[in-house]
């Protein structure tokens, strides 16, 4: 069966809006605004006052949908982000290359896209585009073969997926019975000693709230330099963090090596902004981190993420997909991967609103008491109908 058409377009995505809706499908009333509405979160642009308050003030964004149609009319759907740049790459470069190719030959399509994008770089924006196409092809393959994707890649290895909640509405996470929670760090290198103290106070308050038996992590989102990361980690040592995450700019590999060397006792997680297997191979060969966190919608889709996971597993490095439980794509790969023991659920919806009201896709599962089992529908089980897809279009 051949690929008849590949088409990318702009969509509305709840991930871009941090899973927040003014009106909820069930009519549930929020108890308060979610943390995403007003929270201060440090980042790489925090040193510039006009961009400090919000990531949306400086990020190139925009959700992307990719619909692949086979000769028999079967469709598959993938998503990514970065708007017109990614849409153009898919429609103008990858689509003409792949239309007419075998629809089920996912490795062939992935390899063609990686090689075709090599002259301008297969990382970054190109990886986002490759991801959307690859996910759509796997969704299509599952539908054609009438199997959930997790069965096509080996079948379940977990009874259920242990999920942790990311966000700063920690009291709500505890009410939902998550046994692990991750904070977004409000202050970075540009905030100096006062920021170090404020970060420590946040972690201290959170540890007191959740007690000693709930795992606690800290997401630092590219906001630190090496010295700041070391100083903060030393201050936070008494609070028993499971890991600190994404402290440094992704391309500063020598700084990553320095952090590993200076904090041998601290678990380090990173990789959200690494995009190709070769980047993770370099990091694995130097043991730069204990946990890799590729995003399945950014790092080459399912095909790319499986390759990254195999590299990590061979090096004794755990993989936890970035926001992996927020899409069926990440749920299916995690469910079928022995080296992926945890799943991240980014929680940006308001306290008091059931998780089922924050769905990105109508067919996806959500954590229940901190555990998740993907649905068993063919493909990724997105639950998309023509009406749902039309409503997603911008």
């Amino acid at each position: 069966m051949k690929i008849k058409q590949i088409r990318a377009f702009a969509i509305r995505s709840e991930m871009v809006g941090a899973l927040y809706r003014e009106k909820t499908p069930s009519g549930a009333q929020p108890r308060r605004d979610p943390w995403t509405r007003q929270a201060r979160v440090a980042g790489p642009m925090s040193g510039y006052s006009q961009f400090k308050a919000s990531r949306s003030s400086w990020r190139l964004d925009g959700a992307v949908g990719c619909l692949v149609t086979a000769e028999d009319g079967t469709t598959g759907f993938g998503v990514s982000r970065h708007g017109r740049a990614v849409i153009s790459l898919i429609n103008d470069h990858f689509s003409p290359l792949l239309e007419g190719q075998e629809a089920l030959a996912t490795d062939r399509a992935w390899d063609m896209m990686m090689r075709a994008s090599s002259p301008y770089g297969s990382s970054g924006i190109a990886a986002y585009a490759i991801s959307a196409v690859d996910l759509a092809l796997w969704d299509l393959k599952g539908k054609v073969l009438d199997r959930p994707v997790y069965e096509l890649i080996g079948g379940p290895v977990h009874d259920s997926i242990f999920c942790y909640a990311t966000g700063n509405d920690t009291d709500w996470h505890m009410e939902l019975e998550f046994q692990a929670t991750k904070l977004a760090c409000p202050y970075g290198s540009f905030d100096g000693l006062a920021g170090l103290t404020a970060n420590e106070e946040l972690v201290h308050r959170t540890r007191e709230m959740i007690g000693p038996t709930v795992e606690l992590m800290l997401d630092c989102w590219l906001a630190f330099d090496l010295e700041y990361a070391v100083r903060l980690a030393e201050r936070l040592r008494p609070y028993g963090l499971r890991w600190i995450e994404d402290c440094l700019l992704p391309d500063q590999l020598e700084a990553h090596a320095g952090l590993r060397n200076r904090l041998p006792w601290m678990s380090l997680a990173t990789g959200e902004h690494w995009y190709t297997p070769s980047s993770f191979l370099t990091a694995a060969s130097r043991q730069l981190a204990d946990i890799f966190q590729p995003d399945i919608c950014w790092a080459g889709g399912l095909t790319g993420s499986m390759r990254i996971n195999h590299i990590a597993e061979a090096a004794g490095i755990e993989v936890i997909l970035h926001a992996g439980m927020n899409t069926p794509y990440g749920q299916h790969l995690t469910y079928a991967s022995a080296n992926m023991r945890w799943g991240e659920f980014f929680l940006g919806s308001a306290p008091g609103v059931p998780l089922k009201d924050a769905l990105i896709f109508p067919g996806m599962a959500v954590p229940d008491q901190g555990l998740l089992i993907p649905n068993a529908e063919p493909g990724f089980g997105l639950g998309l109908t023509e009406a749902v897809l039309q409503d997603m279009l911008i």
Side-chain angles (χ1 to χ4, degrees), residues 346-384:
F346 180 89
L347 220 170
S349 53
V353 175
L355 296 186
K356 64 182 181 180
D357 282 0
L359 296 178
I360 301 171
F361 297 105
M364 68 177 280
V366 295
D368 180 15
Q369 297 180 307
L371 300 173
L372 185 146
I373 301 174
N375 75 51
E377 296 298 313
F380 287 110
L382 304 177
L384 290 183

Side-chain angles (χ1 to χ4, degrees), residues 240-256:
L241 296 185
R242 172 73 169 82
W243 70 71
I244 58 174
E245 174 178 325
D246 263 356
C247 296
L248 308 171
L249 293 175
D251 292 335
Q252 294 180 345
L253 294 186
E254 293 307 314
H256 283 272

